[in-house]
Amino acid sequence: MSTPFTIAIDGPAGAGKGTLARRLADHYRLNLLDTGLTYRAVAHKLLELGLPLDNVSAAETAARQVDLSNLDRTVLSAHAVGEAASKVAVIPTVRRILVEKQRVFAKAPPGAVLDGRDIGTVVCPDADIKLYVTASAEVRARRRLAEIESMGGSADFATILADIERRDERDMGRADSPLKPAADAHLLDTSEMAIEAAFLAAMAIVDEVLAKRNKA
Ligand code: C5P
């Protein structure tokens, strides 16, 4: 791979895009960025400082301080941080600051897999491959519940489902960079598909593009 190769993966929370992104980055030896962590880092900073999530100037400062090489998944993966992230993610200037960092990351050789909500539409509109990974809200809520239970926790299915639906609404309904498939994205519905099958389907798409690129 000579010029940086980019795989853009978008989709709603819990569709399996994170796992898919990791598998693809490992397989094709590409850098990996979960862009959700960048919005979570901003939200986490505001929560830590006890500031409201619509404090634009504090959110901008926190966004400028985000260091892509130092995103602590353990701290940032908390459910409440995800909720808060979707609130700071509606602030256009925060998005601009984070998108700039994400683009620099994507351009570093040998290329990268980035997953998020606006990768194929805004961050990397020229990505070599765009995947839109989705699943029904019920399936995503069931997966999230299983994940919580596997870590020894407990939660209520109806509450999780309501959270997921609220987050979808906020991510798809916002004015700046709403979640939607890019016109040229390949759709992968994982409602009835195991992650392994989704990985194989994605691999077939990537291999075809790589074969064409190597011939050119
Ligand atoms: O993917 P994750 O659940 O970690 O993302 C948290 C929130 O960050 C999302 O609900 C969304 O509002 C926001 N986000 C975004 N654009 C991205 C990635 C995440 O707006 N590229």
Side-chain angles (χ1 to χ4, degrees):
M1 295 184 193
S2 42
T3 49
F5 189 77
T6 313
I7 303 179
I9 308 184
D10 292 301
K17 59 187 186 321
T19 311
L20 187 61
R22 202 172 331 112
R23 295 283 305 269
L24 289 171
D26 279 353
H27 185 80
Y28 293 102
R29 297 181 191 283
L30 293 166
N31 299 322
L32 172 66
L33 180 62
D34 172 353
T35 62
L37 291 179
T38 63
Y39 291 91
R40 285 171 181 260
V42 173
H44 182 254
K45 187 75 199 175
L46 296 192
L47 292 173
E48 206 175 54
L49 296 172
L51 293 171
L53 297 164
D54 59 359
N55 183 328
V56 174
S57 68
E60 287 170 1
T61 304
R64 278 191 209 98
Q65 287 167 350
V66 168
D67 174 1
L68 298 194
S69 64
N70 191 19
L71 294 166
D72 186 344
R73 180 175 293 278
T74 320
V75 171
L76 300 177
S77 66
H79 184 68
V81 179
E83 272 288 306
S86 73
K87 293 181 184 159
V88 300
V90 304
I91 305 173
T93 44
V94 165
R95 300 201 69 83
R96 237 171 290 141
I97 294 165
L98 295 180
V99 165
E100 201 40 52
K101 292 177 195 245
Q102 294 161 9
R103 285 184 178 147
V104 170
F105 182 94
K107 287 199 188 100
V113 181
L114 291 92
D115 75 275
R117 304 292 187 288
D118 60 343
I119 310 301
T121 51
V122 175
V123 181
C124 303
D126 298 325
D128 297 273
I129 315 266
K130 297 179 187 177
L131 302 173
Y132 189 84
V133 186
T134 186
S136 71
E138 286 75 15
V139 166
R140 290 184 282 131
R142 228 178 294 133
R143 284 186 192 146
R144 178 82 192 118
L145 183 60
E147 193 182 309
I148 292 170
E149 287 175 348
S150 76
M151 292 187 302
S154 69
D156 169 51
F157 177 78
T159 309
I160 293 182
L161 180 60
D163 279 0
I164 281 190
E165 287 175 338
R166 209 175 38 243
R167 184 114 75 94
D168 283 359
E169 224 172 87
R170 209 178 287 135
D171 287 350
M172 293 174 185
R174 68 177 172 228
D176 189 341
S177 318
L179 168 64
K180 63 173 181 204
D184 50 349
H186 298 269
L187 301 186
L188 280 178
D189 188 330
T190 66
S191 300
E192 314 232 341
M193 200 193 260
I195 188 63
E196 188 59 26
F199 173 59
L200 293 177
M203 237 172 71
I205 295 166
V206 178
D207 286 344
E208 197 182 321
V209 171
L210 280 176
K212 273 192 202 139
R213 190 174 145 118
N214 290 337
K215 250 191 240 160

